Amino acid sequence: MFDGMRRLVSGVCVITAINRAGERFAMTASSVTSVSGEPPSLLVCVNRQARLDQAMNESACFCVNLLSPKQRQISINCSTPESGESRFEHGHWQIDTLTGLSFLADAQAVFWCKKQLTNAYGTHHIYIGDVQRTLVAPGDVNVLAYLNGQYLEL
């Protein structure tokens, strides 16, 4: 079953959120998808053991950063639990003045989402957020993808 699931190609995203104490969290995720065009919304799956999950539960909003191939190291940094705050030292991170969320200014796309639904399923929480704003990189589309345990450039 897992061999089949590894064959699902997905874009690589970094999800950010802040907890009640104002601490920022970031996690690499390949389980991000659009839900609806009206209202524009995204679905994000986060393991309940991940540190980001608690921040997502406490926050009214979250940010989805769609990575480009040049941001592969950021993906690696944000997928390592030990990285903590140091994951924000690499890359063009900025703080959004409206939400306080960290975002990658040079990501292929950035989506600021207002959390609308949280649902537990198996080992994960499913979060659905309405997209409030989007930042799209100029130029050609060049997305970092993940397939069968490997990074790909699309």
Side-chain angles (χ1 to χ4, degrees):
M1 120 181 57
F2 290 114
D3 285 342
M5 292 171 70
R6 288 174 57 102
R7 294 175 189 219
L8 292 168
V9 67
S10 58
V12 178
C13 296
V14 170
I15 313 304
T16 62
I18 50 178
N19 65 12
R20 286 186 193 117
E23 298 171 301
R24 58 187 182 160
F25 294 83
M27 184 192 84
T28 300
S30 57
S31 56
V32 176
T33 191
S34 62
V35 175
S36 171
E38 196 54 48
S41 51
L42 294 177
L43 177 147
V44 177
C45 296
V46 179
N47 189 304
R48 290 193 263 179
Q49 299 299 315
R51 293 178 187 154
L52 176 74
D53 187 63
Q54 180 182 357
M56 294 277 287
N57 270 313
E58 293 178 0
S59 181
C61 55
F62 59 92
C63 186
V64 176
N65 299 270
L66 178 61
L67 303 187
S68 68
K70 69 180 181 180
Q71 295 170 316
R72 179 179 174 171
Q73 187 60 48
I74 294 169
S75 172
I76 294 167
N77 294 350
C78 292
S79 64
T80 307
E82 299 80 30
S83 295
E85 182 68 22
S86 68
R87 56 187 62 180
F88 296 102
E89 294 172 4
H90 181 76
H92 299 289
W93 289 101
Q94 294 184 9
I95 304 291
D96 180 55
T97 56
L98 296 176
T99 63
L101 293 168
S102 297
F103 72 98
L104 288 161
D106 58 346
Q108 279 290 294
V110 180
F111 304 90
W112 286 272
C113 299
K114 180 179 178 188
K115 187 173 65 178
Q116 294 298 329
L117 178 70
T118 303
N119 194 15
Y121 190 83
T123 58
H124 285 62
H125 274 124
I126 300 165
Y127 296 96
I128 296 178
D130 288 348
V131 177
Q132 303 295 296
R133 291 180 292 131
T134 305
L135 173 67
V136 177
D140 294 334
V141 176
N142 194 11
V143 176
L144 182 64
Y146 200 71
L147 174 68
N148 200 27
Q150 302 289 322
Y151 288 102
L152 305 170
E153 182 176 333
L154 297 181

